[in-house]
Amino acid sequence: MREERAGRALVDAVDAGPAGPAGPAGSADAVLRVLRSRSVVRQYTGRQVDDEVLEMLVSAMLAAPTASNKQAWAFVAVRERRTLRLLGAFAPGIIGTPPLVVAACFDRSRPVDERGPGEGGWDMGLLCVAMAVENLLLAAHALGLGGCPVGGFREGPVRTVLRLPAHLDPVLLVPVGHPAGPLRPTDRRDRNEVLRHDTWEQ
Ligand SMILES: Cc1cc2nc3c(=O)[nH]c(=O)nc-3n(C[C@H](O)[C@H](O)[C@H](O)COP(=O)(O)O)c2cc1C
């Protein structure tokens, strides 16, 4: 509960902009702490995600950058128990029954690129969906919740369960809930291996 209150204060501070109540330095520190400390959460307590929290998650998610501002995405926020159980049956990365799964989809009716499928034309749309999902995961973490992007699922049954029209392609299923245990930070590759300055070849 204390974590959730702190998370809400942080979301309010960020919402108020750089000159918000926490002041530029205070809110930047808090945001950077959130960015650095996220890791996937795969097991959740039985606590539900209420409407107010869902609304905060959704507004962070929909604020993500999107190619040509096409917003070629669509989401299904699932909290109904039967649907959650069905999704879990077709996505091995969803463990148990989380209180919320957000199905993040690419909307093929809003092309972001002249190129067609198979020529890289849909890649931009997929990137936009991924950015929205990262916003969702970071907002969840800021609020004391956690989640995991799940790309491994059986598309046909997931389409049927969610009653998706043909132009919506499910890209990631994102279970979200209150962590059942402490976060487990994962190793990162050495930054000297993945980052160079100014040019790659020196
Ligand atoms: C595009 C994408 C797809 C993923 N798909 C799955 C998945 O199907 N099942 C799963 O358990 N985790 C999945 N993950 C979570 C990764 O395993 C996890 O992010 C990675 O191990 C690093 O852990 P961290 O996010 O805690 O740093 C996926 C992550 C990404 C970015």
Side-chain angles (χ1 to χ4, degrees):
M1 198 51 137
R2 200 157 51 84
E3 261 182 356
E4 199 163 304
R5 242 182 284 121
R8 277 167 211 234
L10 170 58
V11 169
D12 287 345
V14 175
D15 219 17
S27 40
D29 274 355
V31 171
L32 292 173
R33 259 201 314 280
V34 168
L35 300 184
R36 282 195 299 255
S37 60
R38 180 217 58 85
S39 61
V40 295
V41 173
R42 293 191 172 90
Q43 279 167 320
Y44 314 97
T45 68
R47 197 166 148 201
Q48 297 305 301
V49 174
D50 63 30
D51 291 346
E52 193 194 349
V53 169
L54 179 59
E55 171 51 35
M56 286 191 275
L57 297 175
V58 167
S59 43
M61 183 171 78
L62 298 181
T66 147
S68 307
N69 196 24
K70 283 281 170 57
Q71 301 169 50
W73 54 36
F75 304 90
V76 185
V78 179
R79 287 184 291 176
E80 194 183 69
R81 211 172 154 73
R82 176 175 167 270
T83 313
L84 291 167
R85 267 197 286 109
L86 285 170
L87 287 178
F90 300 115
I94 299 181
I95 295 166
T97 308
L100 167 69
V101 171
V102 177
C105 306
F106 169 44
D107 181 346
R108 278 190 279 112
S109 71
R110 299 178 65 83
V112 290
D113 199 307
E114 298 294 293
R115 296 169 301 167
E119 299 166 337
W122 287 357
D123 295 356
M124 285 286 197
L126 300 181
L127 291 173
C128 299
V129 173
M131 292 208 169
V133 166
E134 176 66 344
N135 270 22
L136 166 66
L137 291 168
L138 290 169
H141 179 47
L143 291 165
L145 288 85
C148 179
V150 171
F153 56 83
R154 289 178 57 196
E155 183 179 335
V158 164
R159 282 185 163 285
T160 305
V161 169
L162 297 175
R163 301 172 66 192
L164 294 178
H167 65 283
L168 298 185
D169 288 342
V171 178
L172 289 167
L173 299 178
V174 191
V176 174
H178 296 86
L183 299 195
R184 295 178 195 282
T186 48
D187 285 340
R188 290 290 162 218
R189 288 170 64 189
D190 191 300
R191 74 175 56 190
N192 294 323
E193 196 182 310
V194 297
L195 171 72
R196 295 186 190 173
H197 292 280
D198 300 322
T199 57
W200 187 257
E201 301 290 353
Q202 301 295 306

